[in-house]
Amino acid sequence: MVALEGSVLCQRLAVLVIICFPGFANYQDYLIRDFGYWSGLMLAAAALVRYMGRQRVIDLVSWGVFTGLAALFRPEAIILGILMPIGILLCRDLTAAARLRAILYCYVMPFLSASLLFLWFLDSIAISGVYQYMLQEPIEVIAGLFDSWLSLTSVVRDSILNRYSEQYAGLFLISGLAGIYISQLLDGLGVWAILCMATLFYRGAWVRVKNGVFLVALISSLMMLAIFLIEKQFLQARFTIFSCFLLLITLCFSLANAIEKQRVTSKWRSLLLLIAVCAFIDGQYSFGYSKKYISDAVDWLARYAEPQSSVISNNPQISYRSG
């Protein structure tokens, strides 16, 4: 919010939205690497936005560091991190020289440094499996996307549709995947955020964040979700959280706009306050599906399993907590 030059009210609203956001609270008891992924990418985007305002090289360095940290948790952060600086080219407040300098620092210098390090250590150490995945997986995904689409349409045509409707296999598949995509994105946002957004839209208080880095990050994250869905044929609400964070930034600006410019009457302010209270209660006292079975399983193991026995489980949390 500070990087996007949000007002003090907007910054305070951002804190409240994060606290009240049930979609984030649902994962607070999860042992997942997504927290580092989300935090790293948000900090990387904020660094680029700060560069657009003050044009300091240290912000571009921060972008590289935070993108690297996010990639340590999830390799796909490299793709989003690399795409974000494209937004600098959309900034009309910067001169052409400043934009080209930013692209030089963001793309050319890191590429040359990485190439030199790779060549230097090529003969002495082997690239770890993680970094092989980071280098190969995006290429394999893009290369196999078309084959995956053909395979899916073939399955739909041969196994689901009537032979008189075979020509609509692609349309049928697009509709189904779009339904999954929209439902999971809405599930990630949660009913309270959607109600708040709908209220602001209805009252004409919704504002757009006119920032190139923000727009590129949002569009890129949504496109990556679509590509993942086409390739894997499934999508979880957890995968949409980074995109939801970006949408919530717009929600904070819209709320601040509605309050500061008195776009909503006292009746609508009371409704927004009620939605915020419900979201806070939902986020603090409802954490999705019950996880009691995990503690029950760990208690049972502690009581009946031999101290030196091995535990094999398809649940990583049970494996971790059982020692």
Side-chain angles (χ1 to χ4, degrees), residues 17 19 31 38 74 84 112 125 141 163 171 219 231 305:
V17 167
I19 293 174
L31 297 171
W38 298 329
R74 281 198 171 275
M84 283 182 191
L112 291 177
I125 61 172
V141 168
R163 64 188 179 90
L171 180 61
I219 294 172
E231 187 205 7

Side-chain angles (χ1 to χ4, degrees), residues 25-26 30 282 285-291:
N26 286 340
Y30 277 49
D282 185 25
Y285 297 100
S286 176
F287 304 115
Y289 299 107
S290 174
K291 298 293 180 181

Side-chain angles (χ1 to χ4, degrees), residues 308-321:
Q308 303 300 324
S309 60
S310 300
V311 176
I312 300 176
S313 172
N314 61 354
N315 187 298
Q317 291 179 305
I318 293 177
S319 301
Y320 177 82
R321 293 178 60 181

Side-chain angles (χ1 to χ4, degrees), residues 7-211:
S7 63
V8 175
L9 175 61
C10 189
Q11 296 169 32
R12 292 173 178 173
L13 288 171
V15 175
L16 291 175
V17 167
I18 290 297
I19 293 174
C20 297
F21 183 40
F24 187 62
N26 286 340
Y27 302 108
Q28 67 180 12
D29 59 342
Y30 277 49
L31 297 171
I32 53 177
R33 35 189 190 143
D34 298 62
F35 297 110
Y37 169 71
W38 298 329
S39 302
L41 282 181
M42 292 297 289
L43 290 170
L48 289 178
V49 172
R50 281 196 300 270
Y51 173 82
M52 295 172 67
R54 57 188 188 180
Q55 302 178 37
R56 295 177 59 182
V57 176
I58 187 63
D59 295 324
L60 299 179
V61 175
S62 300
W63 159 80
V65 171
F66 291 132
T67 299
L69 288 175
L72 292 176
F73 292 92
R74 281 198 171 275
E76 56 266 32
I78 292 181
I79 300 175
L80 277 174
I82 288 176
L83 291 175
M84 283 182 191
I86 296 176
I88 296 178
L89 297 176
L90 304 178
C91 181
R92 298 179 180 179
D93 296 333
L94 296 178
T95 63
R99 281 178 276 182
L100 290 175
R101 183 168 59 250
I103 296 300
L104 176 68
Y105 277 109
C106 288
Y107 291 136
V108 179
M109 298 302 292
F111 176 78
L112 291 177
S113 301
S115 300
L116 290 174
L117 288 174
F118 178 79
L119 293 174
W120 180 267
F121 292 107
L122 183 61
D123 296 330
S124 57
I125 61 172
I127 302 176
S128 68
V130 173
Y131 288 97
Q132 284 183 350
Y133 172 80
M134 291 167 61
L135 294 171
Q136 295 175 2
E137 183 68 9
I139 299 175
E140 293 177 357
V141 168
I142 295 173
L145 198 59
F146 183 69
D147 292 338
S148 178
W149 178 262
L150 291 179
S151 176
L152 287 173
T153 53
S154 177
V155 170
V156 170
R157 183 175 57 251
D158 299 337
S159 305
I160 299 176
L161 295 179
N162 185 284
R163 64 188 179 90
Y164 297 108
S165 303
E166 291 179 350
Q167 65 270 30
Y168 300 111
L171 180 61
F172 185 91
L173 183 59
I174 290 174
S175 302
L177 292 177
I180 296 174
Y181 185 89
I182 294 172
S183 66
Q184 292 301 316
L185 189 60
L186 294 179
D187 189 22
L189 280 172
V191 62
W192 306 115
I194 294 171
L195 284 175
C196 191
M197 291 177 176
T199 302
L200 293 170
F201 266 117
Y202 180 76
R203 297 301 300 172
W206 189 261
V207 296
R208 293 182 299 172
V209 179
K210 298 179 181 179
N211 182 278

Side-chain angles (χ1 to χ4, degrees), residues 206-228:
W206 189 261
V207 296
R208 293 182 299 172
V209 179
K210 298 179 181 179
N211 182 278
V213 172
F214 173 84
L215 293 176
V216 170
L218 178 59
I219 294 172
S220 299
S221 64
L222 293 174
M223 288 180 62
M224 284 186 61
L225 290 175
I227 292 172
F228 179 87

